[in-house]
Amino acid sequence: MEKIVRIVGGGLAGAEAAYQLARRGECVELYEMRPHRMTEAHATGNLGELVCSNSLRSSLITAPAGVLKEEMRRLDSLVIRVAEDNRVPAGSALAVDRESFARGLTQAVEALPKVRIHREEVKDIPSGIVILATGPLTSPALSQQLVSLLGSQHLYFYDAISPIVSAESINLNVAFRAARYEKGDDDYLNLPLTRDEYYRFIDALLTAERVPTHGFERFVPFEGCMPIEEIADRGKETLAFGPMRAVGLIDLRSGQRPYAVVQLRQENQEKTLYNLVGFQTKMTYAAQRRVFAMIPGLENAEFVRLGSLHRNTFINSPQHLCPTLQWRQRSNLFFAGQMTGVEGYIESAATGLVAGVNAARLIAEEPPVVPPPTTALGALLRYITDPERKSFQPMNVNFGLLPPLSEPLRKKAKKEMMAQRALADMEAWVRNTEGGEVFVPLDADPNVPSAVAR
Ligand SMILES: Cc1cc2nc3c(=O)[nH]c(=O)nc-3n(C[C@H](O)[C@H](O)[C@H](O)COP(=O)(O)OP(=O)(O)OC[C@H]3O[C@@H](n4cnc5c(N)ncnc54)[C@H](O)[C@@H]3O)c2cc1C
């Protein structure tokens, strides 16, 4: 009997997954609850509706989002093709006419052979081969099912994203390594502030422009994930007693305890990225760049991710998913899109592509695949599914996720070389994978289920 793949959610990830399955000759039942049941942000019944910006970010091949898009193009991504057909002028970015893009994507999926679209809400996780791609605004009934499946501590309804800077852009003449009360190794990089520096920073923070909160996003955050500017609203000293407290920290160079500190925590094993601990924020991106550059040591910082706080449904992928996007406890259940903890339109579509390819390989009894870690897509998948990651927050594609180069290049030359390496490795991987050979020997990965669940 012909096997069917059930895809839940017809957003960017679900539409891309359907296409990848259809082009491999597989049968798909795609479930999308709109227009019968709308989310708080969508306005139409179209598949792949963009709920906010109409930009799919940079097209430059030296920018991480540009590299990811180029990789997806080489993997024959439907989302990228439809986006290019509907592009509007936006300098070096790939921006689209949002209505014709979503209409075009809907028509393309409707025309796929062996793909049936059901306009209904899925409340229970189906049996058989399934791709769950219900996005940041997953319906409450299905969210409840996910809580039962994964445990309430493994499904999140909001993200609280702190900015991340590249290690090489931190001024190490200012930063000092220490853990509070010398507990643990010198795990943190600390950026000390004098009283004057602290007050100048707070004044800038209080007057910085903030992103308005949508009605459906109003919520009472836990104390541990309040935006820093809202903590500062409570009083100018509050941050100095909260995330910026210097208690237990001595700057050995001065022998003094600073008035306040910003702590930076290592974000990846390669030590190329550091996050600003407790600095989730709803300041606009422009305001963040300006205000955070006032922190001593971050004057020339390169922000690979800026802070945010959103309504967002995502799972604790490092604890639950393989890099192939299979749930570790049921190899025929795939997750895709923003709910895997990737952040952004193209990242979501890219995970849909991988889930679609691997669901097709499961049917064909071929081992699942993951692009190499030197590619933007491979690096992103490994980041979100690294079981060593303890505190997980969604991530967008950036060069800090890729393994360091063998030669120590800097800035533009480094980005160009990383982009070249990514595309060359993707090219080789596509050749080998399409030729029937698995480029990455996933059987060697202990987290990848070897048995094909039926
Ligand atoms: C308010 C808001 C603004 C955003 N702004 C941006 C931005 O500017 N730029 C950016 O890159 N990203 C933005 N994002 C993130 C963006 O939503 C994702 O990047 C992208 O849309 C995720 O793709 P997806 O396929 O995972 O989810 P979606 O595109 O949301 O698709 C999921 C689909 O599943 C459907 N669905 C949900 N539950 C069920 C169910 N139980 N049964 C059947 N169908 C269901 C939904 O109707 C939806 O169509 C924003 C998110 C939100 C919430």
Side-chain angles (χ1 to χ4, degrees):
M1 208 177 68
E2 207 160 28
K3 287 211 159 22
I4 293 171
V5 179
R6 291 187 178 81
I7 300 177
V8 189
L12 294 166
E16 183 67 56
Y19 173 71
Q20 295 299 330
L21 281 151
R23 84 188 273 283
R24 288 163 174 80
E26 305 303 346
C27 287
V28 173
E29 304 279 332
L30 172 64
Y31 295 83
E32 168 52 57
M33 66 179 184
R34 291 178 293 118
H36 304 305
R37 192 189 163 111
M38 299 297 277
T39 74
E40 303 89 327
H42 291 85
T44 73
N46 284 332
L47 304 183
E49 180 185 333
L50 306 179
V51 289
C52 190
S53 159
N54 66 334
S55 170
L56 275 64
R57 314 214 297 281
S58 179
S59 277
L60 294 177
I61 213 65
T62 45
V67 176
L68 180 59
K69 283 198 284 294
E70 183 55 34
E71 290 178 4
M72 291 168 72
R73 200 172 287 118
R74 294 181 191 198
L75 294 167
D76 185 25
S77 158
L78 176 68
V79 166
I80 297 296
R81 185 141 29 95
V82 176
E84 280 168 350
D85 287 347
N86 292 284
R87 83 185 292 164
V88 293
S92 58
L94 172 57
V96 298
D97 174 322
R98 72 175 69 242
E99 285 196 7
S100 63
F101 166 76
R103 236 186 358 256
L105 194 63
T106 307
Q107 285 164 358
V109 176
E110 282 169 350
L112 290 171
K114 299 208 242 177
V115 174
R116 276 211 303 165
I117 304 176
H118 304 263
R119 297 291 184 163
E120 64 182 74
E121 180 187 359
V122 172
K123 296 185 177 173
D124 296 306
I125 298 166
S127 56
I129 305 176
V130 176
I131 299 178
L132 274 188
T134 43
L137 304 172
T138 295
S139 72
L142 190 64
S143 299
Q144 202 45 51
Q145 271 278 303
L146 285 168
V147 167
S148 314
L149 187 77
L150 308 173
S152 58
Q153 71 281 30
H154 292 290
L155 182 73
Y156 308 111
F157 294 97
Y158 296 93
D159 55 35
I161 295 180
S162 300
I164 293 180
V165 292
S166 66
E168 64 185 9
S169 69
I170 303 165
N171 184 347
L172 295 177
N173 293 325
V174 173
F176 68 95
R177 278 199 175 274
R180 268 205 177 90
Y181 299 113
E182 299 175 4
K183 279 186 189 153
D185 299 326
D186 292 349
D187 290 340
Y188 291 84
L189 276 176
N190 300 282
L191 302 172
L193 286 88
T194 63
R195 189 175 187 284
D196 285 351
E197 286 165 341
Y198 174 78
Y199 272 93
R200 271 202 298 277
F201 172 73
I202 296 295
D203 287 339
L205 191 62
L206 289 172
T207 53
E209 199 189 339
R210 301 176 189 186
V211 179
T213 303
H214 300 283
F216 69 88
E217 290 193 308
R218 291 214 173 85
F219 66 105
V220 183
F222 300 110
E223 284 295 306
C225 70
M226 287 267 290
I228 46 163
E229 60 278 9
E230 284 186 26
I231 301 177
D233 285 343
R234 295 174 167 185
K236 287 193 174 186
E237 280 298 317
T238 318
L239 274 175
F241 287 97
M244 294 181 73
R245 70 194 183 283
V247 58
L249 286 167
I250 302 291
D251 183 352
L252 288 178
R253 287 167 306 197
S254 62
Q256 305 277 315
R257 183 181 124 179
Y259 189 76
V261 294
V262 174
Q263 287 206 298
L264 305 179
R265 184 165 51 215
Q266 191 180 317
E267 182 68 30
N268 58 348
Q269 286 170 358
E270 292 81 16
K271 298 189 181 174
T272 54
L273 299 175
Y274 280 81
N275 71 61
L276 278 65
V277 180
F279 266 49
Q280 55 277 355
T281 174
K282 290 213 73 158
M283 281 188 286
T284 62
Y285 283 176
Q288 289 187 46
R289 288 185 202 285
R290 182 170 41 78
V291 174
F292 294 147
M294 295 173 68
I295 298 169
L298 296 187
E299 301 83 358
N300 299 311
E302 178 200 16
F303 286 88
V304 301
R305 179 180 84 181
L306 285 158
S308 60
L309 213 80
H310 291 127
R311 167 78 175 82
N312 190 6
T313 312
F314 64 103
I315 68 168
N316 187 355
S317 294
Q319 299 306 310
H320 288 281
L321 293 189
C322 308
T324 54
L325 298 177
Q326 289 162 290
W327 187 34
R328 290 200 193 138
Q329 297 181 45
R330 178 180 147 188
S331 60
N332 63 0
L333 176 58
F334 293 83
F335 285 79
Q338 186 113 346
M339 62 170 3
T340 63
V342 296
E343 175 84 19
Y345 297 146
I346 51 161
E347 288 86 343
S348 297
T351 56
L353 191 154
V354 172
V357 168
N358 281 333
R361 291 180 73 89
L362 192 65
I363 295 173
E365 299 192 22
E366 286 169 355
V369 291
V370 184
T374 45
T375 62
L377 181 50
L380 187 62
L381 290 169
R382 279 169 173 81
Y383 180 89
I384 59 164
T385 58
D386 175 0
E388 296 299 312
R389 192 162 309 293
K390 295 295 173 250
S391 64
F392 180 57
Q393 285 295 326
M395 183 58 100
N396 56 298
V397 66
N398 66 75
F399 282 133
L401 304 178
L402 275 68
L405 296 165
S406 46
E407 37 186 335
L409 297 173
R410 286 182 68 79
K411 298 199 168 159
K412 191 160 173 263
K414 179 177 158 189
K415 289 179 183 167
E416 280 172 2
M417 188 55 81
M418 280 195 156
Q420 269 178 32
R421 180 182 66 175
L423 295 179
D425 288 358
M426 181 57 89
E427 194 70 49
W429 184 75
V430 169
R431 255 198 323 273
N432 289 330
T433 307
E434 289 297 297
E437 237 178 82
V438 182
F439 188 73
V440 182
L442 275 176
D443 319 20
D445 185 332
N447 297 314
V448 174
S450 51
V452 176
R454 304 255 146 215

